Amino acid sequence: MEGLAPAYLSDIATQIGALSAFLGGFAATFLGTLLALGLKGRTASVAIGFAVVSSVAFIAAVVASTALVALLHPDAPKAVASVSSAGPRALMTLAFLLGLYALLVSLGISGWTRSRGTGLTTSVAAGLSLVLVTTMLVGIG
């Protein structure tokens, strides 16, 4: 595995942190909407569960990306700079991926709480997005 330059990794962490904050806000808003609708049944519960997972995963990704940027900063104190960046890097990556996939699954499932047609539409859209995102991540990872 090729080591990444600290400046490059810091820029990636900044971007992932910003994207995680945005998507985490969307996931939390989506969760609030699902809860406010008072939907009942297994499908609604699964959609709500995935929205919760997405929200908390994006929070973890934001915190980990912030820690990673702090660790990699050229003017970081020696005590901070000496800490390994492997933990925050792994947590940021895994939490971001978990948040992204959980959000797409929640969006895909949510349509089924309304009707079969809406469920098919949301599932196809989320499925296509899952394929595209995975293809992109595998291609650059």
Side-chain angles (χ1 to χ4, degrees):
M1 179 182 202
E2 179 184 353
L4 300 176
Y8 179 75
L9 186 55
S10 181
D11 284 349
I12 290 172
T14 300
Q15 184 66 28
I16 289 175
L19 187 54
S20 294
F22 172 77
L23 290 174
F26 176 82
T29 301
F30 185 64
L31 170 63
T33 301
L34 290 173
L35 292 172
L37 290 173
L39 301 171
K40 304 286 185 210
R42 173 178 255 153
T43 305
S45 295
V46 171
I48 288 167
F50 276 104
V52 168
V53 169
S54 178
S55 296
V56 298
F58 282 130
I59 291 169
V62 168
V63 172
S65 70
T66 302
L68 190 55
V69 169
L71 289 172
L72 297 172
H73 194 280
D75 295 327
K78 289 182 184 185
V80 172
S82 66
V83 175
S84 171
S85 65
R89 182 178 173 185
L91 177 60
M92 176 190 70
T93 303
L94 294 174
F96 178 75
L97 291 174
L98 177 63
L100 187 57
Y101 285 122
L103 179 58
L104 289 172
V105 170
S106 182
L107 290 169
I109 293 171
S110 66
W112 292 97
T113 63
R114 182 165 184 173
S115 70
R116 177 176 160 82
T118 305
L120 287 171
T121 302
T122 58
S123 293
V124 167
L128 287 173
S129 184
L130 284 166
V131 168
L132 292 173
V133 166
T134 302
T135 301
M136 180 64 72
L137 292 172
V138 168
I140 64 169

